[in-house]
């Protein structure tokens, strides 16, 4: 289903939406799918007709955007206020259609019970006690209802610790394995606080602003993510957990129509999910003010603070109107946290708790990792062998290093008769989302991807991740293979290794050993050679120390960290900032 009529592209989060006058999603809205909505436009392709035909099916979508003059604007303000006023801790009425849309299709992994054995360590002063069940902490009626609808029976390890830490207003740096439920670990406690505290000054600011005809929004919480697709996914989770509340989540990201995003913001925005570039744009256009943003989350935080994004993060957090650290609450989440990034992150955190779930930067033991020696010239035929051995209804994600490489491999697989698609930085945003949807739905069970798909994406049923090209740094490897084996499900990761991958040898070996995987003997001897050839970079130490030596503040290096000023370390570590997803020269 291509969601496009008369050349207009509707991003997923704006599809299929309808809002009735009372500000709640209404059952009687008339159409169920984006397709239905568009078919009612008939042949009427003129732009003015498109927007002015207010009695029509498009009404729900556009009436709050202020099209067609004063009436619309006034109405939308009324809707907003009716939504914002009142007791934020009380659930708003049910809506079965929306409930079905939001909550159908959740599942729990088969190894989920084993999750309880994962070692967790919290360091930092006065760490709040962890919980064992969702009932152990008061998150309010709305959050508890949505947890039940999501069929979450118990918190994952990162949630057990992060929820009370966030609830007691502490800053947090949380390092937990891929697929371990980090998103809910920050969304649940933040939303629960917002429901308990109400909108506060942010509401008055928006109202004051509205009086002057400006429609700047003042989100109470901001979640930053490195890729557009991840931002969308977090937004979808936020929609679940804000169901039946007065909180309206929004998402802004590059590559999609900014006008539409602005109109969506103008309908109210209390929790904003954003990619950095588009957010800066929105701030500069006066559409977003961060003056009352009490909760800041950096998801995939080590990526957000590497050299590609750091300037934009500083622009957003330090050089505008956001409350200072110590006043706002700041939370960082990732599966990997190189020491250099931990040190840099201090700029944004106050007296934080460091949470290590499993082992920092490690992989889940639910993922079986295989490394095979494959020469460049044999990669394609080797891949075909793997694919032919793959079960019918499982999804396979194939990572390559470059955009060109992705196109070429997709073409090749297509010619070989495989239903496949691709996602990379040269494809339009529409194509990227379409590709991801086709993959998720199983229509195209093979997705060829560059690093744009390495982080955060939660796609159920990805059984096999293949590193057709290995990445050059180990963090990237950890995130890529983490697209499988999520929330207790089992997964397989196969990596093609040859002479070109010397730089990752030692770190890869450490990861395999730590996750109790089979290590090919050739890899062992290569790593041994490599170690003696090159000067020790010291990075591998991250994976060899005992558990608990992971918060950099706990190590000798941490004690002396005051003097750490340079960026050489990060450069060396492969965080070269070459993966900025907005730029034209971006290889992925
Ligand atoms: P991470 O960010 O750690 O990689 P996600 O936040 O993407 O992981 O969560 C992975 C999946 O686990 C999601 O589909 C999410 O809905 C599910 N999930 C999260 N918490 C729970 C829970 N407590 N019980 C069951 N499933 C959960
Ligand atoms: Mg995540």
């Amino acid at each position: 289903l291509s969601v496009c009529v008369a050349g207009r592209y509707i991003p997923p989060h704006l599809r299929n939406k309808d809002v009735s006058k009372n500000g709640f999603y209404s059952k009687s809205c008339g159409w169920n799918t984006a397709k239905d909505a568009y078919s009612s436009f008939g042949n009427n392709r003129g732009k003015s007709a498109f927007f002015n035909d207010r009695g029509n099916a498009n009404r729900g979508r556009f009436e709050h955007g202020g099209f067609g003059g004063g009436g619309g604007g006034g109405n939308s303000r009324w809707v907003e206020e009716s939504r914002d006023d009142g007791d934020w801790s009380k659930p708003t009425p049910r809506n079965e259609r929306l409930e079905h849309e939001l909550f159908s299709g959740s599942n729990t992994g088969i190894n989920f019970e084993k999750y309880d054995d994962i070692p967790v360590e919290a360091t930092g002063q006065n760490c709040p006690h962890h919980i064992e069940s969702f009932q152990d902490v008061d998150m309010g009626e709305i959050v508890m209802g949505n947890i039940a609808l999501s069929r979450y029976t118990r918190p994952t390890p990162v949630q057990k610790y992060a929820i009370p830490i966030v609830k007691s207003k502490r800053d947090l740096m949380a390092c937990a394995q891929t697929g371990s439920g980090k998103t809910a670990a920050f969304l649940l406690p933040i939303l629960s606080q917002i429901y308990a505290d109400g909108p506060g000054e942010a509401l008055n600011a928006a109202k004051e602003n509205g009086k002057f005809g400006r429609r700047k929004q003042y989100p109470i919480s901001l979640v930053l993510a490195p890729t557009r697709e991840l931002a969308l996914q977090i937004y979808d989770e936020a929609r679940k957990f804000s169901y039946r509340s007065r909180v309206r989540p929004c998402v802004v990201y590059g590559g999609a129509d900014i006008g539409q995003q602005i109109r969506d913001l103008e309908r109210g925005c209390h929790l904003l999910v954003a990619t950095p570039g588009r957010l800066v744009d929105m701030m500069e256009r006066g559409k977003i003010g961060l003056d009352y943003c009490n909760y800041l989350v950096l998801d995939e935080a080590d990526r957000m603070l590497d050299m590609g994004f750091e300037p934009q993060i500083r622009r957003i957090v330090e050089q505008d109107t956001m409350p200072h650290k110590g006043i706002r609450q700041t939370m960082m989440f990732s599966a990997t946290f190189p020491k250099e990034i931990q040190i840099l992150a201090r700029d944004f955190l106050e007296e934080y708790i460091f949470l290590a779930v499993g082992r920092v930067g490690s992989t889940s033991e639910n993922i079986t990792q295989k490394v095979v020696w494959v020469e460049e010239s044999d990669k394609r035929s080797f891949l075909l062998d793997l694919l032919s051995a793959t079960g019918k209804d499982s999804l396979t994600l194939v990572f390559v290093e470059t955009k060109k490489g992705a196109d070429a491999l997709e073409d090749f697989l297509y010619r070989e008769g495989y239903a496949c698609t691709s996602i990379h930085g040269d494809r339009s945003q529409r194509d990227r989302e379409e590709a991801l949807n086709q993959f998720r739905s199983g229509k195209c069970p093979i997705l060829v991807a560059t690093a744009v798909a390495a982080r955060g994406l939660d796609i159920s049923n990805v059984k096999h991740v293949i590193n057709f090209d290995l990445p050059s740094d180990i963090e990237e490897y950890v995130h890529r293979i983490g697209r499988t084996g999520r929330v207790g499900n089992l997964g397989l990761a196969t990596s093609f290794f040859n002479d070109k991958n010397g730089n990752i040898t030692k770190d890869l070996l450490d990861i395999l050993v730590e996750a109790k995987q089979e290590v090919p003997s050739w890899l062992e001897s290569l790593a041994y050679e490599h170690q003696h050839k090159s000067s020790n970079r010291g990075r591998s130490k991250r994976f060899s120390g005992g558990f608990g030596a992971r918060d950099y503040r706990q190590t000798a290096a941490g004690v002396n960290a005051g003097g750490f000023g340079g960026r050489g370390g990060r450069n060396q570590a492969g965080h070269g900032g070459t993966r900025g997803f907005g730029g034209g020269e971006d290889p992925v």
Side-chain angles (χ1 to χ4, degrees):
L1 173 95
S2 178
V3 192
C4 172
V5 159
R8 288 188 64 87
Y9 166 64
I10 310 290
H13 69 287
L14 294 174
R15 288 171 205 160
N16 211 4
K17 273 201 180 170
D18 196 7
V19 173
S20 69
K21 275 202 173 174
N22 64 9
F24 305 123
Y25 290 84
S26 139
K27 218 182 160 185
S28 58
C29 60
W31 40 269
N32 293 320
T33 64
K35 204 173 166 189
D36 295 345
Y38 291 117
S39 59
S40 67
F41 294 135
N43 292 325
N44 195 349
R45 287 174 164 246
K47 199 174 177 189
S48 58
F50 193 91
F51 291 125
N52 291 336
D53 188 5
R54 302 175 61 86
N56 212 325
N58 59 348
R59 183 186 172 110
R61 188 184 301 270
F62 294 110
E63 70 176 340
H64 306 292
F67 293 106
N75 184 39
S76 82
R77 196 161 310 144
W78 183 83
V79 168
E80 246 167 59
E81 285 173 16
S82 73
R83 180 176 185 126
D84 287 353
D85 292 334
D87 184 351
W88 279 46
S89 67
K90 289 279 168 292
T92 58
R94 269 188 76 188
N95 171 334
E96 280 171 49
R97 188 187 64 91
L98 179 64
E99 201 169 293
H100 183 76
E101 181 199 325
L102 293 175
F103 297 101
S104 56
S106 328
N107 66 329
T108 300
I110 47 177
N111 273 14
F112 202 65
E113 279 69 35
K114 281 200 189 162
Y115 256 54
D116 284 342
D117 302 338
I118 293 178
V120 180
E121 192 165 275
T123 46
Q125 294 187 337
N126 300 324
C127 182
H129 205 268
H130 71 278
I131 55 169
E132 281 299 333
S133 89
F134 287 122
Q135 281 72 34
D136 291 352
V137 61
D138 182 18
M139 287 199 279
E141 222 178 321
I142 302 174
V143 167
M144 293 316 275
N146 293 332
I147 287 175
L149 285 169
S150 305
R151 277 166 279 175
Y152 292 1
T153 49
R154 62 166 104 191
T156 64
V158 65
Q159 291 164 3
K160 287 179 187 170
Y161 284 77
I163 289 173
I165 292 170
V166 176
K167 288 280 292 179
S168 52
K169 303 193 190 304
R170 294 294 300 273
D171 280 4
L172 173 65
M173 183 185 285
C175 192
Q177 293 171 339
T178 50
S180 64
K182 293 187 285 293
T183 319
F186 59 81
L187 284 178
L188 293 173
I190 289 174
L191 286 168
S192 125
Q193 282 306 120
I194 296 177
Y195 302 154
D197 298 344
E201 289 169 284
L203 177 60
N204 292 333
K207 278 185 181 169
E208 272 307 300
N209 200 268
K211 278 187 200 154
F212 301 104
R214 289 188 297 265
R215 308 198 47 86
K216 193 173 188 171
Q217 295 297 321
Y218 296 91
I220 304 164
S221 177
L222 173 65
V223 181
L224 291 169
T227 68
R228 300 157 180 181
E229 290 77 14
L230 179 56
L232 251 173
Q233 181 182 298
I234 298 168
Y235 165 77
D236 283 335
E237 290 286 292
R239 282 185 74 210
K240 281 192 204 168
F241 299 126
S242 56
Y243 172 59
R244 298 190 66 186
S245 81
R246 290 174 162 77
V247 165
R248 187 167 193 278
C250 289
V251 61
V252 299
Y253 55 87
D257 181 14
I258 195 164
Q260 242 162 23
Q261 291 178 355
I262 290 171
R263 288 189 291 277
D264 190 53
L265 287 175
E266 286 177 342
R267 288 165 54 186
C269 171
H270 307 110
L271 182 145
L272 179 63
V273 186
T275 53
R278 180 55 61 94
L279 175 60
V280 169
D281 197 350
M282 289 292 188
M283 289 161 68
E284 284 168 0
R285 288 170 188 239
K287 298 298 171 192
I288 289 289
L290 296 173
D291 315 48
Y292 304 98
C293 180
N294 292 331
Y295 306 93
L296 169 67
V297 178
L298 303 187
D299 195 20
E300 305 295 342
D302 57 328
R303 174 75 184 95
M304 301 307 286
L305 294 175
D306 81 12
M307 290 163 89
F309 279 121
E310 185 196 343
Q312 280 172 316
I313 301 298
R314 290 200 186 273
R315 161 79 184 79
I316 293 164
V317 179
E318 295 180 330
Q319 294 154 23
D320 220 277
T321 53
M322 186 183 286
H324 290 272
K325 68 174 182 177
I327 296 170
R328 66 162 195 264
Q329 213 181 326
T330 309
M331 291 140 277
M332 303 193 181
F333 286 80
S334 184
T336 52
F337 261 113
K339 193 175 78 196
E340 312 85 270
I341 303 279
Q342 288 189 38
I343 291 166
L344 180 83
R346 291 185 308 186
D347 291 358
F348 304 94
L349 295 163
E350 181 95 351
E351 293 265 318
Y352 63 96
I353 309 274
F354 184 91
L355 196 58
V357 182
R359 303 194 173 203
V360 173
S362 188
T363 59
S364 164
E365 282 175 31
N366 287 338
I367 306 169
T368 303
Q369 301 175 57
K370 293 204 163 123
V371 182
V372 285
W373 186 279
V374 185
E375 297 292 348
E376 283 306 306
S377 54
D378 298 332
K379 279 183 170 178
R380 285 184 172 185
S381 68
F382 210 99
L383 178 64
L384 291 182
D385 289 346
L386 287 179
L387 291 178
S388 65
T390 301
K392 275 256 176 307
D393 40 39
S394 56
L395 307 182
T396 304
L397 183 51
V398 185
F399 280 105
V400 296
E401 210 38 33
T402 64
K403 298 180 282 198
K404 280 204 173 76
D407 277 338
L409 190 61
E410 184 195 356
D411 279 351
F412 168 73
L413 290 175
Y414 183 79
R415 277 185 272 113
E416 291 290 326
Y418 285 96
C420 63
T421 182
S422 70
I423 184 166
H424 60 72
D426 265 357
R427 300 200 73 187
S428 70
Q429 190 52 28
R430 177 195 298 180
D431 288 346
R432 283 168 60 160
E433 286 169 20
E434 180 82 13
L436 205 55
N437 287 340
Q438 288 185 333
F439 183 57
R440 266 187 215 278
S441 69
K443 222 188 259 171
C444 291
I446 301 167
L447 180 66
V448 181
T450 58
V452 289
R455 283 194 182 245
L457 298 183
D458 181 52
I459 302 163
S460 56
N461 211 24
V462 174
K463 292 278 164 60
H464 198 174
V465 170
I466 299 172
N467 281 311
F468 188 85
D469 302 317
L470 266 166
S472 55
D473 67 288
I474 199 70
E475 284 82 15
E476 169 79 12
Y477 173 85
V478 168
H479 288 280
R480 281 185 185 183
I481 70 167
R483 296 318 99 214
T484 185
R486 300 177 70 74
V487 245
N489 288 294
L490 300 177
L492 172 66
T494 307
S495 301
F496 296 174
F497 190 107
N498 61 37
D499 285 333
K500 282 170 122 183
N501 306 114
N503 51 356
I504 203 177
T505 318
K506 180 70 174 74
D507 289 338
L508 186 59
L509 176 74
D510 290 343
I511 281 273
L512 294 177
V513 169
E514 190 171 284
K516 304 192 181 82
Q517 302 294 307
E518 218 171 278
V519 179
S521 55
W522 55 261
L523 187 70
E524 229 161 347
S525 35
L526 262 183
Y528 185 78
E529 275 170 38
H530 207 76
Q531 200 176 25
H532 287 263
K533 252 196 308 199
S534 63
S535 63
N536 196 337
R537 296 177 303 158
R539 272 168 50 76
S540 321
K541 289 267 168 8
R542 280 184 293 124
F543 302 109
S544 52
F547 181 75
R550 301 297 160 56
D551 177 352
Y552 92 93
R553 295 174 301 186
Q554 308 274 302
T555 63
V559 177
N560 299 321
F564 190 98
R567 292 175 170 198
R570 280 197 287 152
N571 236 342
Q572 227 176 7
H575 296 273
T578 48
R579 279 183 258 127
F581 297 109
E585 290 310 302
D586 179 359
V588 296

